[in-house]
Amino acid sequence: MTEDREIPEAPDGPDTPLVERVRAGDTDAFGRLYDRWFDRVHDLAYRVLWDTEAAADVAQDAFLSAYRNINSLEDPSAFGGWLLRIARNGALNRKRKDERVRPADEARLAMIEQAQTRPEDRIGALDDPQQIAEDGELAALLWSAADALGDRDREVLDLHLRHGLAPNEIADVVGLNRNAANQLVHRVRQRLATAVGARVLWRGGVPACAALRAAFEAADVDEFDAEAVRVAEKHAGGCTECDARRSTHLSPAQMFSAVPFLSIPMFKAKVAHALSAEGVPMQGSSALGGTRSPRRGRVRRSILVGGAGAIIVAAVLAFSASRVGDGQLVELTSDLTTTTTASTSTSSTTSPSPSTSTTTTTVATTTTTRPAVIVPPVTTPTVLPTASTTTTTAPAPTTTTVPPPTLTLSMSPATAPTTYVLISPDAPRLTWSVQGASKAKLTGPNVNRTDLADTIVVCPVPAAGPTVCSAPRGTYTYTLEALDAGGKPLGPPKTVTLTIQ
């Protein structure tokens, strides 16, 4: 393995000058701090709550508290760790209050365990951490390994490797003494390496090594957890094949530090406006551009009340995630994208006032069945022979009836919120199959596939990151066609719709 790269510093340089400018009354400085830290704060809250909207609420409270108490911060250079501590405490309080439960990990595991090209087979050859940021399956595998370490160790890894906090800063955030935090950071890095190696060998509970499979069965291990890590590590220590299979060019710490932050531009803009409505000077934030300020109140309400004609401008990361079967990311690529709310499939009534609109959306699923056409065999009339003539009747030619192709196409569920996590079990999945045809063509918003059968998670617009879809309200139609060898359509297509509401 290569040496770890240096842990990243606070985004865009030191925070001290901006903190001092905020204290001096500079109206642009806090907005710039907000732009630096929003994604990190929202990501940290999400890893506690597993709810993007609740995490946005926590982020709003954290930044509001930070602004109001910034004069109490003794060391301006510690702004980032201080802000993350506020957010973490707020998220934990929210979790205790709401008694939120993390979504079943099976969704994320299914995404990587049903892949046609397994991430376990790719991760060992990686030589550039940037590849982690561009591959949702690899990021999911690394989170799966970190989850097996337990909540505290995963949180310490996250703060140290992804957020770039030093052990003394982590001590302040999680409430440990500095010596204990320093030892814990060193220990969890070693444990992560062990867990990633075990996760590579796990392969959905069906390891390539028969002896390891037997070891899992003997230990009654049926899910990837701390016990699975222990069994895999013990086995690999005496198995040359498994020891070689779990090795990687990059260290697990390098790879985990490259896992991207959850980034949802819509939430960033809404929280910025909500803070501005609370009296926080946000003029320096780029997130304010082009979005009307909401009334005072929670960010969740301001997000859900958006009209059907609202325009959402999102600068999204260039992203490509391989398709991986049921519960996995659809293939996506994007540059700077301007997305407008899609019109509904039924009717839209707008009052004379330019500020009021009412939209009615109907979800329609069309199933088209082509009736079988039965062609009777062609027969030749029989000519009766006369006394002087003998006629031999040629056998009737045989006509083979070619059945029409069979198309199946479904969307489940057929509705989704404007923002959802692509790896969650509730993300909309498009399933299709074509039988009796040489080719297939599936088209629709952000989908263009030629597979004869597959299941993918759908995001009608380029995704805002490896795990999040933020799409305007509207109805999106997907069409499946059967084609012959020359690309000519065979019979009528099938369509389904996804309604974002």
Side-chain angles (χ1 to χ4, degrees):
M1 295 184 183
T2 59
E3 293 295 322
D4 293 353
R5 64 181 175 86
E6 294 183 0
I7 301 303
E9 297 179 354
D12 303 325
D15 295 315
T16 301
L18 289 175
V19 172
E20 292 175 343
R21 285 168 54 186
V22 173
R23 290 172 171 175
D26 188 325
T27 56
D28 288 342
F30 194 80
R32 292 183 60 185
L33 286 171
Y34 175 85
D35 285 355
R36 289 186 177 191
W37 286 96
F38 177 82
D39 285 349
R40 292 169 179 259
V41 169
H42 185 246
D43 183 275
L44 180 68
Y46 173 73
R47 303 298 169 188
V48 175
L49 297 171
W50 303 105
D51 181 318
T52 54
E53 292 183 6
D57 280 348
V58 169
Q60 178 179 328
D61 290 338
F63 279 102
L64 183 60
S65 177
Y67 175 73
R68 290 175 174 174
N69 296 283
I70 199 165
N71 288 328
S72 68
L73 178 61
E74 295 181 0
D75 180 6
S77 67
F79 175 81
W82 177 63
L83 177 63
L84 292 176
R85 181 171 74 250
I86 296 172
R88 175 181 179 270
N89 291 339
L92 290 174
N93 290 337
R94 178 72 174 260
K95 182 178 181 180
R96 285 190 289 268
K97 178 181 177 181
D98 294 353
E99 297 182 350
R100 293 185 180 275
V101 178
R102 179 178 179 176
D105 288 340
E106 285 78 5
R108 193 162 60 188
L109 296 178
M111 181 182 118
I112 54 183
E113 289 170 359
Q114 297 177 12
Q116 293 182 358
T117 303
R118 300 184 67 92
E120 295 95 328
D121 301 329
R122 302 198 304 275
I123 197 167
L126 292 183
D127 55 10
D128 182 359
Q130 180 61 29
Q131 294 172 273
I132 301 292
E134 299 170 352
D135 193 325
E137 296 171 23
L138 296 176
L141 184 147
L142 291 166
W143 275 118
S144 175
D147 288 344
L149 304 181
D151 291 344
R152 187 194 65 172
D153 286 4
R154 183 188 66 241
E155 183 179 22
V156 169
L157 279 170
D158 191 18
L159 292 170
H160 180 52
L161 296 178
R162 296 179 68 240
H163 292 276
L165 269 61
N168 62 314
E169 295 174 300
I170 293 173
D172 293 337
V173 173
V174 302
L176 294 172
N177 68 64
R178 297 192 175 188
N179 184 54
N182 188 61
Q183 295 178 8
L184 181 58
V185 165
H186 177 74
R187 185 167 64 251
V188 296
R189 286 168 67 101
Q190 296 298 321
R191 294 190 62 205
L192 175 67
T194 300
V196 170
R199 185 61 186 80
V200 170
L201 299 176
W202 170 253
R203 296 181 64 86
V206 188
C209 175
L212 181 55
R213 288 200 302 271
F216 282 139
E217 292 174 0
D220 196 25
V221 173
D222 57 5
E223 62 181 8
F224 188 76
D225 54 14
E227 179 63 10
V229 173
R230 186 193 67 80
V231 173
E233 173 68 9
K234 180 179 178 181
H235 167 82
C239 177
T240 304
E241 178 185 351
C242 288
D243 188 50
R245 186 175 288 118
R246 66 178 176 172
S247 65
T248 58
H249 290 304
L250 297 174
S251 74
Q254 284 178 293
M255 292 186 286
F256 191 75
S257 65
V259 174
F261 292 109
L262 186 70
S263 180
I264 307 180
M266 178 180 69
F267 283 169
K268 185 175 182 179
K270 293 296 183 180
V271 171
H273 282 291
L275 289 171
S276 181
E278 293 285 352
V280 180
M282 298 294 294
Q283 292 91 319
S285 172
S286 62
L288 285 180
T291 308
R292 182 175 56 87
S293 297
R295 296 178 180 178
R296 293 173 180 263
R298 303 311 314 147
V299 64
R300 181 178 301 181
R301 291 198 296 272
S302 68
I303 290 170
L304 296 179
V305 174
I311 298 178
I312 303 172
V313 181
V316 297
L317 301 175
F319 170 68
S320 176
S322 303
R323 62 178 178 83
V324 287
D326 189 19
Q328 294 150 51
L329 299 177
V330 66
E331 187 173 15
L332 300 168
T333 56
S334 172
D335 294 314
L336 182 65
T337 302
T338 301
T339 306
T340 58
T341 304
S343 60
T344 63
S345 61
T346 53
S347 64
S348 176
T349 304
T350 306
S351 65
S353 171
S355 62
T356 305
S357 64
T358 304
T359 304
T360 303
T361 304
T362 302
V363 180
T365 302
T366 304
T367 304
T368 305
T369 304
R370 179 180 177 182
V373 179
I374 302 175
V375 181
V378 179
T379 59
T380 302
T382 303
V383 180
L384 297 176
T386 62
S388 60
T389 304
T390 300
T391 303
T392 302
T393 303
T398 302
T399 301
T400 303
T401 301
V402 179
T406 301
L407 285 70
T408 59
L409 180 64
S410 65
M411 181 77 73
S412 179
T415 60
T418 55
T419 300
Y420 54 89
V421 178
L422 292 168
I423 58 178
S424 76
D426 298 326
R429 288 171 169 77
L430 188 60
T431 301
W432 74 94
S433 69
V434 174
Q435 297 179 350
S438 300
K439 299 180 180 179
K441 183 179 181 181
L442 177 65
T443 56
N446 212 34
V447 171
N448 189 356
R449 299 288 293 272
T450 58
D451 312 74
L452 289 173
D454 205 347
T455 296
I456 58 175
V457 171
V458 177
C459 182
V461 298
T467 59
V468 176
C469 177
S470 294
R473 293 181 177 88
T475 300
Y476 302 87
T477 301
Y478 296 85
T479 302
L480 177 65
E481 296 178 281
L483 309 176
D484 62 17
K488 181 180 179 181
L490 298 173
K494 277 200 170 186
T495 61
V496 293
T497 59
L498 170 65
T499 298
I500 302 295
Q501 58 187 15

